[in-house]
Amino acid sequence: MMTTAPITIEPMQVQHSAQVAQLLVHGFRGKFQALTSASDETLSLFFERLLAGAPASPTSRRLVALHGGEVVATVSLKRKAGFDTTQQPRNGTLQWSDLRMLGKWNLIKMLIGFYALDHEPRDGECYISDLAVRPDQRGNGIGGQLLQWARDYVHNEPSLSMLSLHVAASNESARQLYERQSFRTHAELNSFLLRLLFHEPKWLYMVLPLKS
C-alpha cells in the first residue's frame, strides 16, 4: 500500500506503546524466537508493558513515525551518558510481576539477550537500534526518513559527530538500506554469546561520520 499522507516523526508517548510493541515483534521475530517460544501476542504484551512502564533514560530516546495517527515505524537513539536528551518521561512503575507472562526462564533469557545486544556509545556517537517498519509500509522510504531525522539530530547537537549501528551480516536488506544512507562497515564482530543466543555468527558495526 502506498503512503500518500505525510509522515510525522516525534518522540514516543505512552499511548504508542502497544503499536510500537507490535512493530518490534514483527521486525525482530527471528531474534526473539531464538530466545523464547512465546507467541507473538505474548511478546507484544511483554514489550508493551516494558515500554510503558520502564523509566525514561536520560541517554536514549525512542522515536515513532506516524501516518494517519498510527505508528508505522520506530527507532531508538542512544548517546553517551552525561547529556540531557529531553525525552518525554514514561510512567516508571514497572514491576517484575508485570513481565511474568513470559515465565521466569524465558524472561531471564530475554534479559540476557538485551544485555548482549546493548552498546555503550563513545564520545560523539549516536547509536541506532530497533529500527522497525510496519510490513505494509515497507518500501515507502519511511526507514530512510527516520535515519534522516537521526542525521539532522546529530548535525544539530554540538556534542555529536557520527551515527552508528550493528546489523547481522546475514540481514542483507537492512545492510543495503544502511549502505544507501552512506553507512560503511567499520568492524566485524564475532561473538560467541551472540552466536549462542541468536544463531548469528557475524555482526557488522557500521558508522556514518557526519562532522570532521
Side-chain angles (χ1 to χ4, degrees):
M1 180 176 68
M2 294 298 295
T3 299
T4 55
I7 297 293
T8 60
I9 297 173
E10 60 184 55
M12 191 195 91
Q13 308 293 333
V14 174
Q15 62 267 26
H16 300 140
S17 298
Q19 292 182 69
V20 171
Q22 292 174 6
L23 274 177
L24 294 177
V25 172
H26 283 298
F28 304 104
R29 180 185 286 108
K31 287 182 182 178
F32 302 141
Q33 285 177 339
L35 298 174
T36 174
S37 59
S39 67
D40 285 0
E41 292 75 14
T42 299
L43 282 171
S44 292
L45 180 59
F46 168 78
F47 280 105
E48 179 182 352
R49 292 185 178 178
L50 190 66
L51 290 165
S57 168
T59 63
S60 63
R61 60 172 61 194
R62 178 169 293 282
L63 304 170
V64 293
L66 301 174
H67 174 241
E70 295 187 352
V71 177
V72 294
T74 184
V75 71
S76 179
L77 304 179
K78 183 179 180 182
R79 60 195 295 176
K80 187 176 180 180
F83 300 95
D84 179 14
T85 57
T86 315
Q87 176 172 297
Q88 175 72 26
R90 297 192 287 278
N91 291 339
T93 57
L94 184 69
Q95 303 292 327
W96 288 117
S97 58
D98 295 331
L99 307 177
R100 62 188 177 188
M101 76 287 292
L102 285 185
K104 183 182 295 186
W105 177 235
N106 283 331
L107 177 57
I108 290 172
K109 287 193 293 182
M110 288 290 284
L111 294 177
I112 293 173
F114 291 159
Y115 171 79
L117 291 170
D118 191 35
H119 174 78
E120 289 300 325
R122 300 167 295 169
D123 289 337
E125 180 181 6
C126 180
Y127 183 73
I128 295 171
S129 64
D130 302 342
L131 175 58
V133 180
R134 205 170 72 185
D136 67 325
Q137 295 289 344
R138 292 172 185 167
N140 292 330
I142 299 174
Q145 290 184 53
L146 283 170
L147 292 174
Q148 183 60 53
W149 194 101
R151 292 171 76 127
D152 294 342
Y153 173 65
V154 170
H155 278 302
N156 292 326
E157 287 286 333
S159 61
L160 296 176
S161 60
M162 62 178 286
L163 289 168
S164 66
L165 55 89
H166 282 95
V167 63
S170 62
N171 191 344
E172 286 289 325
S173 60
R175 181 181 58 79
Q176 290 172 4
L177 167 65
Y178 300 134
E179 288 177 344
R180 287 196 298 270
Q181 296 288 328
S182 299
F183 283 81
R184 294 296 178 260
T185 298
H186 182 74
E188 294 185 0
L189 174 66
N190 290 281
S191 165
F192 174 78
L193 182 58
L194 291 174
R195 180 196 295 263
L196 180 66
L197 291 172
F198 302 110
H199 313 303
E200 289 284 357
K202 183 184 294 185
W203 298 74
L204 307 179
Y205 176 60
M206 305 185 76
V207 301
L208 174 59
L210 293 172
K211 299 174 186 174
S212 58

